[in-house]
Amino acid sequence: MSRPLLGVLGGMGPLATAHFYRMLIEATPAETDQEHVRVAIWADPSVPDRTKSLLGEGPSPVPVMLDGLRWLQAAGADCVVIPCNTAHAYVEELVASTGVLVLDMVTAALQSCQAVRPGVRRVGVLATRGTRAAQLYERAASRLGIEVVQVPFAVQREHVDTAIRTVKAGGDLAKAARSIETAARVLHALGAEVGVAACTEIPLVIAGAGRVLPMVDSTASLVETALVRLAVRTGP
Amino acid sequence: MSRPLLGVLGGMGPLATAHFYRMLIEATPAETDQEHVRVAIWADPSVPDRTKSLLGEGPSPVPVMLDGLRWLQAAGADCVVIPCNTAHAYVEELVASTGVLVLDMVTAALQSCQAVRPGVRRVGVLATRGTRAAQLYERAASRLGIEVVQVPFAVQREHVDTAIRTVKAGGDLAKAARSIETAARVLHALGAEVGVAACTEIPLVIAGAGRVLPMVDSTASLVETALVRLAVRTGP
């Protein structure tokens, strides 16, 4: 009888969660409050840094994420989204412990690339070092017959990592946008036909990069997947 | 040991909740994810329309709000905010049923008026018809020695109600902003020294009104009160 409930395991980072929620609302065809999606958001930014953990430099984020996931489960969430690409390295473990249905942001983003550029062979990915270390995009892409291109580590460190840190700290967004544009140029030079903003901080500073390469926003892909799953909107 | 948890009883409307959450993040002094506030958001937009209920034209929103409040309580929320002015008509009843500490958005907004204009006597309020019918601002203002001015009902219907409905429907925000500016001119003519955007949809279209009258954003006042309560920042 009750309408479906979307669980959001958020806070990684908080701004990315707020951005996801706002995009979800804007993408929902609704004239009144009552037509919008029912959402429960657990945004605990004290989740340990995912990249540090994947690089062996910090504690596992899994216990704190499990706390949140259990609360969303108890709240009656029909499915859960995690608006953080890097956190997807832990999805298998989280699902095994809870049985919760977690929508896959990484596959959703790659499928958006196929929609933007049908027959795409080479996708450029802008992500955290954690996402790279866990090979999240490489593994999902191989299942779809796509090759992933990444920026060299010097560009990663100087431009991508810096931009992500700037967004998380609420810093100079215009400067961060220029860094992401530089990284997009490198991906383009390496043969990428489409780029993915594969860290939920990056879509906030993606405008310049979009002039270099068609850019897919992984957050938008996750919104679309969630709306299809909740039957608010049918898939393409 | 665990850091405090802010509960948000949201969805009234969804965009106002997303706006509150984003403002909370932006107002928090933090360099990393981990320094941000822990937040649980229950955003069930199926809560029946508060204004219709207060005008005797629809069912009570209290049962659905109580469901949400109980989830936030179970999640361990130390205090709860409700980013919807009109919903404050039900706070007494909600607190009596649950014992949850609900921060008072209406008083927070009026205190912001006193901070913006020390010694202020007359505050203009832009609100829903529900907030007006429940005399939420009038009652809180009388405790602070402030007089409340409201727009005549024709202006309410033609400009304020229309603007709120437009924001909720994701409509033409520029047009809604012009309506709110017109209403602010009327409040100014009626002697208001400061205006309050006393419906959480209005701050989204407040820019023009701010050129007519110093405008207090009730959402910003609630953010500030929450941060003080959570000891993220100490009061002025």
Side-chain angles (χ1 to χ4, degrees), chain A residues 60-122:
Chain A
S60 168
V62 168
V64 181
M65 290 175 78
L66 270 179
D67 282 351
L69 212 48
R70 293 214 172 93
W71 181 77
L72 293 171
Q73 196 169 29
D78 295 277
C79 59
V80 169
V81 294
I82 309 177
C84 170
N85 284 272
T86 314
H88 279 64
Y90 304 98
V91 164
E92 250 174 65
E93 193 176 343
L94 296 169
V95 170
S97 298
T98 59
V100 169
L101 171 63
V102 176
L103 304 184
D104 179 359
M105 183 180 209
V106 174
T107 300
L110 289 168
Q111 287 170 336
S112 295
C113 292
Q114 292 179 315
V116 165
R117 182 65 57 102
V120 63
R121 299 295 304 272
R122 200 172 266 200

Short mmCIF file of all heavy atoms in Angstrom, two decimals, chain A residues 60-122:
data_model
loop_
_atom_site.label_atom_id
_atom_site.label_comp_id
_atom_site.label_asym_id
_atom_site.label_seq_id
_atom_site.Cartn_x
_atom_site.Cartn_y
_atom_site.Cartn_z
N SER A 60 39.01 0.44 7.72
CA SER A 60 37.92 0.10 6.80
C SER A 60 36.68 0.93 7.10
O SER A 60 36.31 1.13 8.25
CB SER A 60 37.57 -1.38 6.96
OG SER A 60 36.35 -1.64 6.29
N PRO A 61 36.00 1.39 6.05
CA PRO A 61 34.76 2.13 6.26
C PRO A 61 33.56 1.21 6.49
O PRO A 61 32.46 1.69 6.78
CB PRO A 61 34.59 2.89 4.94
CG PRO A 61 35.25 2.02 3.92
CD PRO A 61 36.39 1.34 4.63
N VAL A 62 33.78 -0.12 6.35
CA VAL A 62 32.64 -1.04 6.34
C VAL A 62 31.80 -1.00 7.61
O VAL A 62 30.56 -0.94 7.52
CB VAL A 62 33.09 -2.48 5.98
CG1 VAL A 62 31.99 -3.49 6.24
CG2 VAL A 62 33.53 -2.52 4.51
N PRO A 63 32.37 -1.02 8.83
CA PRO A 63 31.50 -1.02 10.01
C PRO A 63 30.55 0.17 10.06
O PRO A 63 29.35 -0.01 10.33
CB PRO A 63 32.50 -0.99 11.17
CG PRO A 63 33.74 -1.62 10.61
CD PRO A 63 33.80 -1.19 9.18
N VAL A 64 31.02 1.38 9.78
CA VAL A 64 30.13 2.56 9.82
C VAL A 64 29.09 2.48 8.70
O VAL A 64 27.92 2.81 8.90
CB VAL A 64 30.94 3.88 9.75
CG1 VAL A 64 30.01 5.08 9.84
CG2 VAL A 64 31.97 3.95 10.87
N MET A 65 29.51 2.01 7.52
CA MET A 65 28.56 1.88 6.42
C MET A 65 27.49 0.85 6.77
O MET A 65 26.31 1.03 6.43
CB MET A 65 29.28 1.49 5.13
CG MET A 65 30.16 2.61 4.57
SD MET A 65 31.13 2.08 3.12
CE MET A 65 29.87 2.11 1.84
N LEU A 66 27.88 -0.21 7.43
CA LEU A 66 26.91 -1.24 7.82
C LEU A 66 25.87 -0.69 8.79
O LEU A 66 24.68 -1.00 8.66
CB LEU A 66 27.62 -2.44 8.46
CG LEU A 66 28.05 -3.55 7.51
CD1 LEU A 66 28.77 -4.65 8.28
CD2 LEU A 66 26.86 -4.13 6.74
N ASP A 67 26.31 0.14 9.74
CA ASP A 67 25.37 0.77 10.67
C ASP A 67 24.29 1.53 9.89
O ASP A 67 23.10 1.41 10.16
CB ASP A 67 26.08 1.81 11.57
CG ASP A 67 26.85 1.14 12.69
OD1 ASP A 67 26.69 -0.09 12.87
OD2 ASP A 67 27.62 1.84 13.37
N GLY A 68 24.74 2.32 8.93
CA GLY A 68 23.80 3.12 8.13
C GLY A 68 22.87 2.25 7.31
O GLY A 68 21.66 2.48 7.25
N LEU A 69 23.46 1.23 6.70
CA LEU A 69 22.67 0.34 5.85
C LEU A 69 21.60 -0.39 6.66
O LEU A 69 20.46 -0.56 6.20
CB LEU A 69 23.63 -0.68 5.20
CG LEU A 69 23.27 -1.18 3.82
CD1 LEU A 69 22.91 -0.07 2.87
CD2 LEU A 69 24.43 -2.00 3.26
N ARG A 70 21.94 -0.78 7.87
CA ARG A 70 20.96 -1.48 8.72
C ARG A 70 19.83 -0.54 9.11
O ARG A 70 18.68 -0.94 9.20
CB ARG A 70 21.67 -2.04 9.97
CG ARG A 70 22.64 -3.14 9.60
CD ARG A 70 22.72 -4.23 10.66
NE ARG A 70 23.53 -5.35 10.15
CZ ARG A 70 24.85 -5.47 10.34
NH1 ARG A 70 25.49 -4.58 11.08
NH2 ARG A 70 25.50 -6.50 9.82
N TRP A 71 20.16 0.76 9.33
CA TRP A 71 19.11 1.72 9.67
C TRP A 71 18.18 1.92 8.48
O TRP A 71 16.95 1.96 8.62
CB TRP A 71 19.72 3.05 10.11
CG TRP A 71 18.66 4.06 10.47
CD1 TRP A 71 17.93 4.10 11.63
CD2 TRP A 71 18.20 5.13 9.65
NE1 TRP A 71 17.04 5.14 11.56
CE2 TRP A 71 17.18 5.79 10.37
CE3 TRP A 71 18.54 5.60 8.38
CZ2 TRP A 71 16.50 6.89 9.85
CZ3 TRP A 71 17.86 6.70 7.87
CH2 TRP A 71 16.86 7.33 8.61
N LEU A 72 18.76 1.98 7.27
CA LEU A 72 17.93 2.15 6.07
C LEU A 72 17.05 0.92 5.86
O LEU A 72 15.89 1.02 5.47
CB LEU A 72 18.82 2.39 4.84
CG LEU A 72 19.58 3.72 4.85
CD1 LEU A 72 20.60 3.76 3.71
CD2 LEU A 72 18.63 4.91 4.76
N GLN A 73 17.62 -0.25 6.14
CA GLN A 73 16.88 -1.51 6.03
C GLN A 73 15.70 -1.51 7.02
O GLN A 73 14.57 -1.83 6.66
CB GLN A 73 17.84 -2.65 6.33
CG GLN A 73 17.38 -4.01 5.91
CD GLN A 73 18.51 -5.05 6.00
OE1 GLN A 73 19.42 -4.91 6.83
NE2 GLN A 73 18.45 -6.07 5.17
N ALA A 74 15.99 -1.11 8.25
CA ALA A 74 14.94 -1.07 9.27
C ALA A 74 13.86 -0.04 8.91
O ALA A 74 12.69 -0.21 9.25
CB ALA A 74 15.55 -0.73 10.63
N ALA A 75 14.28 1.01 8.21
CA ALA A 75 13.31 2.03 7.79
C ALA A 75 12.41 1.52 6.67
O ALA A 75 11.42 2.16 6.34
CB ALA A 75 14.06 3.29 7.32
N GLY A 76 12.77 0.37 6.09
CA GLY A 76 11.92 -0.22 5.05
C GLY A 76 12.33 0.13 3.64
O GLY A 76 11.51 0.04 2.72
N ALA A 77 13.61 0.49 3.45
CA ALA A 77 14.07 0.86 2.10
C ALA A 77 13.93 -0.33 1.15
O ALA A 77 14.36 -1.44 1.46
CB ALA A 77 15.52 1.33 2.16
N ASP A 78 13.34 -0.08 -0.02
CA ASP A 78 13.19 -1.13 -1.02
C ASP A 78 14.51 -1.36 -1.76
O ASP A 78 14.78 -2.45 -2.22
CB ASP A 78 12.09 -0.74 -2.01
CG ASP A 78 10.74 -0.69 -1.32
OD1 ASP A 78 10.14 -1.75 -1.18
OD2 ASP A 78 10.33 0.40 -0.87
N CYS A 79 15.27 -0.30 -1.93
CA CYS A 79 16.61 -0.43 -2.50
C CYS A 79 17.42 0.76 -1.99
O CYS A 79 16.87 1.72 -1.47
CB CYS A 79 16.58 -0.48 -4.02
SG CYS A 79 15.84 0.96 -4.78
N VAL A 80 18.74 0.62 -2.13
CA VAL A 80 19.64 1.63 -1.57
C VAL A 80 20.60 2.11 -2.65
O VAL A 80 21.07 1.32 -3.47
CB VAL A 80 20.44 1.04 -0.37
CG1 VAL A 80 21.57 1.97 0.06
CG2 VAL A 80 19.50 0.76 0.80
N VAL A 81 20.84 3.41 -2.66
CA VAL A 81 21.90 3.97 -3.50
C VAL A 81 23.02 4.50 -2.60
O VAL A 81 22.76 4.91 -1.47
CB VAL A 81 21.40 5.12 -4.41
CG1 VAL A 81 20.40 4.62 -5.43
CG2 VAL A 81 20.81 6.26 -3.59
N ILE A 82 24.23 4.46 -3.11
CA ILE A 82 25.39 5.00 -2.39
C ILE A 82 26.05 6.02 -3.32
O ILE A 82 26.76 5.62 -4.25
CB ILE A 82 26.40 3.90 -2.01
CG1 ILE A 82 25.70 2.74 -1.29
CG2 ILE A 82 27.52 4.48 -1.14
CD1 ILE A 82 26.61 1.57 -0.93
N PRO A 83 25.74 7.32 -3.13
CA PRO A 83 26.30 8.32 -4.06
C PRO A 83 27.78 8.58 -3.76
O PRO A 83 28.17 9.66 -3.38
CB PRO A 83 25.45 9.57 -3.83
CG PRO A 83 24.44 9.23 -2.78
CD PRO A 83 24.86 7.95 -2.13
N CYS A 84 28.59 7.55 -3.96
CA CYS A 84 30.05 7.63 -3.82
C CYS A 84 30.61 6.47 -4.61
O CYS A 84 30.40 5.30 -4.24
CB CYS A 84 30.45 7.52 -2.35
SG CYS A 84 32.25 7.33 -2.11
N ASN A 85 31.30 6.78 -5.71
CA ASN A 85 31.85 5.70 -6.54
C ASN A 85 32.82 4.82 -5.76
O ASN A 85 32.74 3.60 -5.81
CB ASN A 85 32.58 6.29 -7.75
CG ASN A 85 31.63 6.79 -8.83
OD1 ASN A 85 31.22 6.04 -9.70
ND2 ASN A 85 31.26 8.06 -8.76
N THR A 86 33.74 5.46 -5.02
CA THR A 86 34.79 4.69 -4.34
C THR A 86 34.19 3.68 -3.36
O THR A 86 34.69 2.55 -3.23
CB THR A 86 35.76 5.65 -3.61
OG1 THR A 86 36.10 6.71 -4.50
CG2 THR A 86 37.02 4.93 -3.18
N ALA A 87 33.10 4.07 -2.70
CA ALA A 87 32.46 3.19 -1.73
C ALA A 87 31.95 1.90 -2.39
O ALA A 87 31.72 0.90 -1.71
CB ALA A 87 31.30 3.91 -1.05
N HIS A 88 31.80 1.91 -3.73
CA HIS A 88 31.32 0.71 -4.41
C HIS A 88 32.31 -0.45 -4.31
O HIS A 88 31.95 -1.60 -4.57
CB HIS A 88 30.95 1.03 -5.87
CG HIS A 88 29.58 1.64 -5.97
ND1 HIS A 88 29.28 2.87 -5.43
CD2 HIS A 88 28.42 1.18 -6.52
CE1 HIS A 88 27.99 3.13 -5.65
NE2 HIS A 88 27.45 2.13 -6.30
N ALA A 89 33.54 -0.17 -3.92
CA ALA A 89 34.51 -1.26 -3.68
C ALA A 89 34.03 -2.18 -2.56
O ALA A 89 34.47 -3.31 -2.45
CB ALA A 89 35.88 -0.66 -3.35
N TYR A 90 33.13 -1.69 -1.71
CA TYR A 90 32.68 -2.46 -0.54
C TYR A 90 31.28 -3.02 -0.72
O TYR A 90 30.75 -3.63 0.21
CB TYR A 90 32.73 -1.57 0.71
CG TYR A 90 34.09 -0.98 0.94
CD1 TYR A 90 34.40 0.31 0.53
CD2 TYR A 90 35.10 -1.75 1.52
CE1 TYR A 90 35.67 0.84 0.71
CE2 TYR A 90 36.37 -1.23 1.71
CZ TYR A 90 36.65 0.07 1.29
OH TYR A 90 37.89 0.58 1.45
N VAL A 91 30.66 -2.79 -1.88
CA VAL A 91 29.25 -3.16 -2.03
C VAL A 91 29.04 -4.67 -1.86
O VAL A 91 28.11 -5.09 -1.16
CB VAL A 91 28.70 -2.66 -3.40
CG1 VAL A 91 27.38 -3.36 -3.74
CG2 VAL A 91 28.46 -1.14 -3.34
N GLU A 92 29.91 -5.47 -2.46
CA GLU A 92 29.74 -6.93 -2.34
C GLU A 92 29.70 -7.36 -0.87
O GLU A 92 28.83 -8.12 -0.47
CB GLU A 92 30.91 -7.64 -3.02
CG GLU A 92 30.51 -8.35 -4.30
CD GLU A 92 31.72 -8.93 -5.02
OE1 GLU A 92 32.37 -9.84 -4.47
OE2 GLU A 92 32.03 -8.41 -6.12
N GLU A 93 30.63 -6.81 -0.10
CA GLU A 93 30.71 -7.15 1.33
C GLU A 93 29.46 -6.67 2.07
O GLU A 93 28.91 -7.38 2.91
CB GLU A 93 31.97 -6.47 1.88
CG GLU A 93 32.39 -6.95 3.25
CD GLU A 93 33.71 -6.29 3.70
OE1 GLU A 93 34.45 -5.74 2.82
OE2 GLU A 93 33.98 -6.33 4.91
N LEU A 94 28.97 -5.46 1.74
CA LEU A 94 27.79 -4.90 2.40
C LEU A 94 26.54 -5.71 2.07
O LEU A 94 25.71 -5.98 2.95
CB LEU A 94 27.59 -3.44 1.97
CG LEU A 94 28.68 -2.44 2.36
CD1 LEU A 94 28.47 -1.10 1.64
CD2 LEU A 94 28.70 -2.23 3.87
N VAL A 95 26.43 -6.12 0.81
CA VAL A 95 25.26 -6.89 0.39
C VAL A 95 25.27 -8.26 1.06
O VAL A 95 24.25 -8.76 1.53
CB VAL A 95 25.21 -7.00 -1.15
CG1 VAL A 95 24.15 -8.00 -1.60
CG2 VAL A 95 24.94 -5.63 -1.77
N ALA A 96 26.47 -8.87 1.12
CA ALA A 96 26.58 -10.20 1.74
C ALA A 96 26.15 -10.15 3.21
O ALA A 96 25.54 -11.09 3.72
CB ALA A 96 28.01 -10.72 1.61
N SER A 97 26.43 -9.03 3.90
CA SER A 97 26.10 -8.93 5.33
C SER A 97 24.65 -8.58 5.58
O SER A 97 24.14 -8.84 6.67
CB SER A 97 26.97 -7.86 6.00
OG SER A 97 28.32 -8.20 5.90
N THR A 98 23.99 -7.93 4.63
CA THR A 98 22.66 -7.40 4.92
C THR A 98 21.56 -7.91 3.99
O THR A 98 20.39 -7.85 4.34
CB THR A 98 22.65 -5.85 4.77
OG1 THR A 98 23.03 -5.54 3.42
CG2 THR A 98 23.60 -5.20 5.74
N GLY A 99 21.95 -8.34 2.80
CA GLY A 99 20.94 -8.74 1.82
C GLY A 99 20.21 -7.57 1.19
O GLY A 99 19.25 -7.76 0.44
N VAL A 100 20.66 -6.34 1.47
CA VAL A 100 20.01 -5.15 0.90
C VAL A 100 20.33 -5.07 -0.60
O VAL A 100 21.43 -5.41 -1.02
CB VAL A 100 20.52 -3.88 1.61
CG1 VAL A 100 20.09 -2.61 0.88
CG2 VAL A 100 20.04 -3.84 3.05
N LEU A 101 19.35 -4.62 -1.38
CA LEU A 101 19.58 -4.40 -2.81
C LEU A 101 20.25 -3.03 -2.98
O LEU A 101 19.65 -2.00 -2.67
CB LEU A 101 18.25 -4.41 -3.56
CG LEU A 101 18.30 -3.98 -5.03
CD1 LEU A 101 19.15 -4.93 -5.86
CD2 LEU A 101 16.89 -3.89 -5.61
N VAL A 102 21.51 -3.04 -3.44
CA VAL A 102 22.24 -1.79 -3.68
C VAL A 102 22.34 -1.57 -5.19
O VAL A 102 22.86 -2.43 -5.91
CB VAL A 102 23.65 -1.83 -3.04
CG1 VAL A 102 24.43 -0.55 -3.38
CG2 VAL A 102 23.55 -1.99 -1.53
N LEU A 103 21.83 -0.44 -5.68
CA LEU A 103 21.91 -0.14 -7.12
C LEU A 103 23.36 0.20 -7.48
O LEU A 103 24.04 0.87 -6.71
CB LEU A 103 20.97 1.02 -7.47
CG LEU A 103 19.51 0.81 -7.07
CD1 LEU A 103 18.65 1.99 -7.57
CD2 LEU A 103 18.95 -0.50 -7.61
N ASP A 104 23.81 -0.28 -8.65
CA ASP A 104 25.23 -0.17 -9.01
C ASP A 104 25.50 1.09 -9.83
O ASP A 104 25.20 1.18 -11.01
CB ASP A 104 25.61 -1.44 -9.81
CG ASP A 104 27.06 -1.41 -10.27
OD1 ASP A 104 27.78 -0.44 -9.99
OD2 ASP A 104 27.46 -2.40 -10.92
N MET A 105 26.12 2.05 -9.16
CA MET A 105 26.41 3.35 -9.77
C MET A 105 27.44 3.24 -10.90
O MET A 105 27.36 3.96 -11.91
CB MET A 105 26.97 4.26 -8.68
CG MET A 105 27.28 5.66 -9.12
SD MET A 105 27.93 6.57 -7.69
CE MET A 105 27.39 8.21 -8.13
N VAL A 106 28.40 2.35 -10.76
CA VAL A 106 29.48 2.23 -11.75
C VAL A 106 28.92 1.70 -13.07
O VAL A 106 29.17 2.28 -14.15
CB VAL A 106 30.59 1.31 -11.19
CG1 VAL A 106 31.65 1.06 -12.26
CG2 VAL A 106 31.21 1.93 -9.94
N THR A 107 28.15 0.62 -13.00
CA THR A 107 27.55 0.08 -14.23
C THR A 107 26.57 1.10 -14.83
O THR A 107 26.52 1.27 -16.05
CB THR A 107 26.83 -1.25 -13.92
OG1 THR A 107 27.82 -2.15 -13.41
CG2 THR A 107 26.20 -1.84 -15.17
N ALA A 108 25.82 1.79 -13.97
CA ALA A 108 24.89 2.80 -14.46
C ALA A 108 25.62 3.87 -15.26
O ALA A 108 25.17 4.29 -16.34
CB ALA A 108 24.14 3.44 -13.28
N ALA A 109 26.78 4.32 -14.77
CA ALA A 109 27.54 5.37 -15.47
C ALA A 109 28.04 4.86 -16.82
O ALA A 109 27.99 5.58 -17.82
CB ALA A 109 28.70 5.83 -14.60
N LEU A 110 28.52 3.63 -16.84
CA LEU A 110 29.03 3.08 -18.11
C LEU A 110 27.90 2.89 -19.12
O LEU A 110 28.08 3.09 -20.32
CB LEU A 110 29.77 1.76 -17.85
CG LEU A 110 31.11 1.95 -17.12
CD1 LEU A 110 31.65 0.60 -16.62
CD2 LEU A 110 32.14 2.62 -18.05
N GLN A 111 26.73 2.51 -18.63
CA GLN A 111 25.59 2.37 -19.54
C GLN A 111 25.16 3.74 -20.09
O GLN A 111 24.74 3.84 -21.24
CB GLN A 111 24.42 1.68 -18.82
CG GLN A 111 24.71 0.18 -18.64
CD GLN A 111 23.72 -0.52 -17.72
OE1 GLN A 111 23.09 0.11 -16.88
NE2 GLN A 111 23.61 -1.84 -17.87
N SER A 112 25.31 4.79 -19.27
CA SER A 112 25.03 6.14 -19.78
C SER A 112 26.01 6.49 -20.90
O SER A 112 25.63 7.16 -21.86
CB SER A 112 25.16 7.19 -18.67
OG SER A 112 24.19 6.99 -17.68
N CYS A 113 27.27 6.05 -20.77
CA CYS A 113 28.25 6.31 -21.83
C CYS A 113 27.79 5.64 -23.13
O CYS A 113 27.91 6.23 -24.22
CB CYS A 113 29.62 5.73 -21.45
SG CYS A 113 30.39 6.58 -20.07
N GLN A 114 27.25 4.44 -23.01
CA GLN A 114 26.77 3.73 -24.21
C GLN A 114 25.56 4.45 -24.82
O GLN A 114 25.37 4.42 -26.03
CB GLN A 114 26.41 2.28 -23.85
CG GLN A 114 27.63 1.45 -23.49
CD GLN A 114 27.27 0.02 -23.11
OE1 GLN A 114 26.32 -0.21 -22.35
NE2 GLN A 114 28.04 -0.94 -23.61
N ALA A 115 24.76 5.09 -23.95
CA ALA A 115 23.59 5.82 -24.46
C ALA A 115 24.03 7.11 -25.14
O ALA A 115 23.50 7.49 -26.19
CB ALA A 115 22.63 6.12 -23.31
N VAL A 116 25.03 7.78 -24.55
CA VAL A 116 25.53 9.05 -25.10
C VAL A 116 26.25 8.82 -26.42
O VAL A 116 26.14 9.60 -27.36
CB VAL A 116 26.49 9.73 -24.08
CG1 VAL A 116 27.31 10.83 -24.72
CG2 VAL A 116 25.70 10.27 -22.90
N ARG A 117 27.02 7.74 -26.50
CA ARG A 117 27.83 7.45 -27.69
C ARG A 117 27.65 5.97 -28.03
O ARG A 117 28.44 5.13 -27.58
CB ARG A 117 29.30 7.77 -27.36
CG ARG A 117 30.31 7.59 -28.47
CD ARG A 117 30.12 8.52 -29.64
NE ARG A 117 30.14 9.93 -29.31
CZ ARG A 117 31.19 10.76 -29.50
NH1 ARG A 117 32.29 10.31 -30.04
NH2 ARG A 117 31.09 12.03 -29.19
N PRO A 118 26.59 5.63 -28.78
CA PRO A 118 26.33 4.21 -29.06
C PRO A 118 27.55 3.54 -29.72
O PRO A 118 28.21 4.14 -30.57
CB PRO A 118 25.13 4.25 -30.00
CG PRO A 118 24.46 5.56 -29.72
CD PRO A 118 25.58 6.50 -29.39
N GLY A 119 27.88 2.34 -29.26
CA GLY A 119 29.03 1.62 -29.79
C GLY A 119 30.36 2.10 -29.25
O GLY A 119 31.42 1.74 -29.77
N VAL A 120 30.32 2.89 -28.18
CA VAL A 120 31.56 3.44 -27.61
C VAL A 120 32.52 2.30 -27.23
O VAL A 120 32.11 1.26 -26.73
CB VAL A 120 31.26 4.33 -26.38
CG1 VAL A 120 30.63 3.53 -25.25
CG2 VAL A 120 32.51 5.03 -25.89
N ARG A 121 33.83 2.51 -27.53
CA ARG A 121 34.85 1.49 -27.23
C ARG A 121 35.74 1.92 -26.08
O ARG A 121 36.22 1.10 -25.31
CB ARG A 121 35.73 1.25 -28.48
CG ARG A 121 34.99 0.75 -29.70
CD ARG A 121 34.39 -0.64 -29.50
NE ARG A 121 35.39 -1.62 -29.10
CZ ARG A 121 36.13 -2.34 -29.95
NH1 ARG A 121 35.93 -2.23 -31.24
NH2 ARG A 121 37.05 -3.19 -29.51
N ARG A 122 35.99 3.24 -25.99
CA ARG A 122 36.99 3.71 -25.03
C ARG A 122 36.42 4.84 -24.17
O ARG A 122 36.07 5.90 -24.69
CB ARG A 122 38.20 4.21 -25.81
CG ARG A 122 39.45 4.26 -25.00
CD ARG A 122 40.64 4.58 -25.88
NE ARG A 122 41.33 3.37 -26.32
CZ ARG A 122 42.59 3.36 -26.77
NH1 ARG A 122 43.28 4.46 -26.84
NH2 ARG A 122 43.14 2.23 -27.14
#
